[in-house]
Amino acid sequence: MKGLLTLRTLSEDKILEIIETALEFKNGRKVDFPGKKMVTLFYENSTRTQYSFQVAMINLGITPLSFNLAGSSVNKGESLYDTVKTFESLGVDGVVIRHTQDVYYNDLENIKIPIFNGGDGTSDHPTQTLLDLMTIYEEFGHFDGLKICLVGDVRHSRVAHGNSEVMRRLGMEVFISGPEEYADFTAPYLTIDEAVEECDVINLLRVQFERHQQDMGITVEEYHKAYGLTMDRAKAMKDNAIIMHPAPFNRGVEIASEVAECDKARIFKQMTNGVFIRMAVISMVLEGKL
Ligand code: CP
């Protein structure tokens, strides 16, 4: 299959090449793909991923098409494969897909047009990982030896699962923090107070209430006090340490409202970088470099 489905099968060199290409776009490089059109098929809600892919397409001269799930033939039972095959038949040049099912793309092996994974279940969110890496790279100029703590609802987070694998390969030390019942992969555990003292990057994760099978058992105020990034904790971070969050974020739960836009926060910069990463990924795929 063509496109970008996961970073797990990409070499470290190729990942760095995507980041360098995104930085070139951020510095003004122009590339144009006149006459191309791509569609965003989102089976789960999204603001950043869906619309930054569309902005990236517009910046590259590609016409973006939106898919209205509620008004589509998915509601008549049409499968993901038949939906994507339909867009391929209409002459669309690529599809961006977000789906509730982990590795949904295994059902799409006969599709010939490029597929860009906008998030699959709780497994992977490759362009989010890339924009997170770009933001870290811009800040520190390297990855080797940096300490990052993934803080919060690790179990339900495709960002945590994708980031931890790639960040380790790039030489970062990955820790986790948050409720221990939400910690589902092997990484050293730090309390949030230990994490802010030790780490270069605090990568907060949204509490994904919509994926919880049962109540957390504590109030959001109790969660914030025990696991959240309060302003006092943000002030305890190292001088050059940064705060990231894929967003959307729950103000007052995993992050204090005033922390979201404090000097150490890079959350809105991550969103800006997302446009350049998606420009890089789309252009490299269309040029046969990815
Ligand atoms: N970070 C992220 O994936 O945001 P959206 O769900 O709004 O796309």
Side-chain angles (χ1 to χ4, degrees), residues 136-175:
I136 293 167
Y137 189 73
E138 280 189 310
E139 200 72 34
F140 298 97
H142 68 98
F143 299 106
D144 203 34
L146 292 176
K147 293 183 176 180
I148 184 166
C149 192
L150 301 161
V151 182
D153 191 351
V154 176
R155 179 186 301 275
H156 299 103
S157 173
R158 52 186 161 227
V159 176
H161 297 139
N163 280 16
S164 58
E165 192 275 330
V166 177
M167 288 174 175
R168 279 196 188 114
R169 270 201 285 143
L170 290 170
M172 296 179 71
E173 271 189 80
V174 179
F175 300 88

Side-chain angles (χ1 to χ4, degrees), residues 1 10 29 32 40 52 55 75 83 131 144 161 165 257:
M1 268 181 287
L10 284 192
R29 179 180 162 202
D32 205 24
T40 50
S52 68
V55 172
N75 280 336
T83 302
L131 74 89
D144 203 34
H161 297 139
E165 192 275 330
S257 188

Side-chain angles (χ1 to χ4, degrees), residues 45-49 98 125 128 246-248:
N45 295 343
S46 168
T47 299
R48 275 146 292 276
T49 310
R98 172 172 289 184
H125 191 350
Q128 179 70 45

Side-chain angles (χ1 to χ4, degrees), residues 12-71:
E12 290 87 278
D13 282 351
K14 190 54 82 175
I15 290 167
L16 295 175
E17 188 185 334
I18 297 170
I19 294 167
E20 292 293 351
T21 305
L23 287 166
E24 287 171 21
F25 281 121
K26 194 168 184 178
N27 289 327
R29 179 180 162 202
K30 300 267 183 268
V31 177
D32 205 24
F33 297 97
K36 299 269 188 212
K37 44 208 167 295
M38 292 176 58
V39 64
T40 50
L41 292 182
F42 276 62
Y43 288 74
E44 266 190 8
N45 295 343
S46 168
T47 299
R48 275 146 292 276
T49 310
Q50 174 154 223
Y51 293 99
S52 68
F53 259 113
Q54 292 197 2
V55 172
M57 291 172 202
I58 291 166
N59 291 350
L60 294 169
I62 297 167
T63 302
L65 305 173
S66 282
F67 181 65
N68 172 14
L69 184 69

Side-chain angles (χ1 to χ4, degrees), residues 267-284:
I267 300 170
F268 291 95
K269 184 177 182 184
Q270 287 172 264
M271 296 179 203
T272 303
N273 284 345
V275 172
F276 300 112
I277 281 292
R278 287 161 183 135
M279 288 173 74
V281 165
I282 292 170
S283 63
M284 288 174 69

